[in-house]
Structure formats: C-alpha cells, structure tokens
C-alpha cells in the first residue's frame, strides 16, 4: 500500500476545558504550530466551546471537530446536537462511536453507523472509532470485534461517504491507561482495517486515513506514525497539554506524505 496519505493529528479534549483554559491552550497551540504545514491538525472540543475554539482556531490552520453527533436531522431529541448544527458552527470533523460513548451511553454499532452517515450528509468528515477491549484481545477476537464494528459502517455508508472519512483504531485497553499498543500490534490491526474496507471500496480504502488512539504521547508518537498504515493519531490526555500535542504533530510531519 503506498503512503500517499497526509497525516492527521486530532485532539479529543473529552469533557475538559473552560473558557479560560481553552483560550490559554489555543494560544499555545497557535504559537507552537505557527507556520506548521507537515500534517493536518484538529481539536475536537465539547459542544458549548465550538464557537469559542472555532474563533480562536480560525487563523491557525487547526481544524475544528466535535465529539459526537445525533443521527437525526432535527426534532424532538432533547439535549442532542445535529450534524447540520456542527457544520454551521464550523466543524470539519466529528468523532463517532468513541468507546466511551459505546460503553457509557450504550451506543450500538448500528447507531454509530447512522451517525457516520448523518455526518457525511451534512458535509462533515466523521472520525469513526473502533477497537477491542482487553478481554476481547486476550480471547483472540480483536479482528472479529473490529470487523463487526466496521461492517456496520460499511453496510450503512456507500463509497461517497468513505472518500471523506477517517477511521480511528482505539484499543479500549489503551485509552487513558498509559498502556499503548506497540507499533507492530497497532499496524497489524490497521492493515486489517484497511483490507476490510478495501474488500468493498478499494479506492477509498487506499486513501483512507486510519488514526491510532490510546495513550499516544510525545514519546511514542513517532514510532507509531512510522508504520505503513498508521496515518496519524486521535489524542486524548496529551491533547490538553500544548507542548505534548505540538510534539505529536511534529512527529507526524516527519513521517509519510507531507
Ligand atoms: P488517550 O485517549 O490519548 O487519553 O488514551 C484517546 C481517546 O480516547 O481518544
């Protein structure tokens, strides 16, 4: 598989931040990434801060993203946010199917697929998360679990959706734990993901960016990003520390297509 894909480093702030803290973080990122062109960068922020962070990011080259989206267009869904609203607020990306949403809020793979389609229809690029738990890995079912999560997306979304989408492989056991999949372990699953998608949509699979997520930090990013099928990172904890996030972006810029 050729490496013509430009890397993407996306921060997932999760439910963290405040108006004051966001302003400080974005000022540091703007400074650290001034004139940076080596990779695409994004921050996925809590919905109430989209306007603030969007304004702060506007002249920086850092794209804006959200962390979830409702699968419906509009209506009686109290508390929810639609893809059209996210688009209107300036989002380029939206994370769908993060393992925390699957585990804590009961999101099913079918629902995640509907969110993926809704995001695409609104002109957003979904970042679809897949990944296995530790017991699933121990049982040797990683490919079965990740394959089923992908199949739900593939069944729901046609080729046009895949040409502007991102997949994030996030082993649940590596998220926020400090335990990272080794580059070889991650690469193996990334290659599996690409081949699963290639079986239906070969052209889209070749250009699809597959991010690794799970305790990505300044120290391990370069090793992960050097792998043939790892096209960047979805970064949680380290995305809240400007120096770490900037280092991770630079690690991406030294690998692959620029
Ligand atoms: P982490 O989170 O980098 O803190 O492990 C990654 C994620 O959940 O997206």
């Amino acid at each position: 598989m050729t490496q013509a894909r430009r890397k993407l480093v996306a921060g997932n702030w999760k439910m963290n931040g405040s108006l004051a803290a966001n302003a400080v973080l974005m000022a540091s990122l703007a400074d650290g990434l001034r004139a940076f062109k080596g990779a695409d960068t994004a921050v996925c922020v809590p919905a109430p801060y989209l306007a603030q962070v969007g304004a702060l990011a506007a002249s920086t080259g850092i794209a804006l993203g959200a962390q979830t989206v409702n699968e419906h267009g509009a209506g009686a869904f109290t508390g929810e946010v639609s893809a059209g609203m996210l688009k209107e607020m300036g989002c380029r990306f939206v994370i769908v199917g993060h393992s925390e949403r699957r585990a804590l809020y009961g999101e099913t793979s079918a629902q995640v697929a509907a969110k993926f389609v809704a995001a695409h229809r609104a002109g957003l690029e979904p970042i679809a998360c897949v990944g296995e738990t530790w017991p699933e890995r121990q049982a040797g079912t990683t490919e079965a679990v990740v394959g089923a999560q992908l199949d739900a997306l593939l069944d729901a979304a046609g080729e046009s959706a895949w040409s502007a989408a991102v997949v994030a492989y996030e082993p649940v056991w590596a998220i926020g734990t400090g335990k990272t999949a080794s580059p070889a372990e991650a690469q193996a699953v990334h290659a599996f993901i690409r081949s699963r998608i290639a079986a239906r949509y070969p052209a889209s699979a070749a250009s699809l960016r597959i991010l690794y997520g799970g305790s990505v930090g300044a120290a391990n990013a370069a090793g992960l990003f050097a792998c043939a099928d790892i096209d960047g990172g979805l970064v949680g904890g380290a995305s809240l520390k400007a120096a770490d996030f900037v280092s991770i972006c630079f690690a991406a810029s030294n690998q692959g297509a620029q």
Side-chain angles (χ1 to χ4, degrees):
M1 198 69 66
T2 55
Q3 261 246 7
R5 298 176 295 272
R6 183 172 162 80
K7 289 208 170 10
L8 166 64
V9 179
N12 173 12
W13 289 7
K14 309 195 179 185
M15 197 173 73
N16 293 293
S18 67
L19 290 172
N22 302 344
V24 171
L25 179 54
M26 290 306 295
S28 301
L29 292 182
D31 194 37
L33 294 172
R34 188 182 301 121
F36 177 79
K37 293 203 177 358
D40 289 343
T41 58
V43 287
C44 299
V45 309
Y49 297 135
L50 286 170
Q52 180 209 14
V53 176
L56 293 171
S59 55
T60 65
I62 302 169
L64 186 67
Q67 299 174 8
T68 186
V69 66
N70 188 273
E71 57 271 39
H72 301 286
F77 303 102
T78 301
E80 293 293 285
V81 174
S82 76
M85 294 172 189
L86 296 179
K87 181 72 182 171
E88 195 174 26
M89 294 307 292
C91 287
R92 174 176 171 190
F93 298 104
V94 60
I95 299 169
V96 299
H98 190 280
S99 63
E100 287 152 16
R101 299 223 45 100
R102 292 178 192 258
L104 301 173
Y105 303 102
E107 286 187 10
T108 63
S109 287
Q111 229 179 330
V112 173
K115 291 170 189 274
F116 184 94
V117 170
H120 166 67
R121 289 208 176 118
L124 297 167
E125 295 180 47
I127 301 175
C129 299
V130 297
E132 82 289 0
T133 63
W134 184 246
E136 287 164 346
R137 173 163 280 261
Q138 293 286 83
T141 57
T142 297
E143 291 193 356
V145 169
V146 171
Q149 291 169 339
L150 287 173
D151 286 350
L153 296 170
L154 287 162
D155 289 344
E159 174 127 45
S160 67
W162 289 95
S163 62
V166 178
V167 169
Y169 170 55
E170 297 209 311
V172 179
W173 49 272
I175 295 177
T177 58
K179 249 201 255 176
T180 325
S182 69
E185 285 171 328
Q187 165 59 28
V189 182
H190 281 235
F192 165 75
I193 291 170
R194 198 176 305 284
S195 69
R196 189 78 160 211
I197 296 167
R200 299 234 202 148
Y201 305 123
S204 297
S207 61
L208 179 75
R209 292 191 285 199
I210 306 176
L211 312 184
Y212 171 80
S215 298
V216 175
N220 60 22
L224 289 159
F225 297 165
C227 296
D229 289 293
I230 300 185
D231 306 308
L234 182 56
V235 184
S239 73
L240 299 170
K241 298 180 198 129
D244 288 6
F245 191 70
V246 167
S247 297
I248 295 166
C249 294
F250 274 89
S253 78
N254 295 328
Q255 312 280 347
Q258 308 271 308

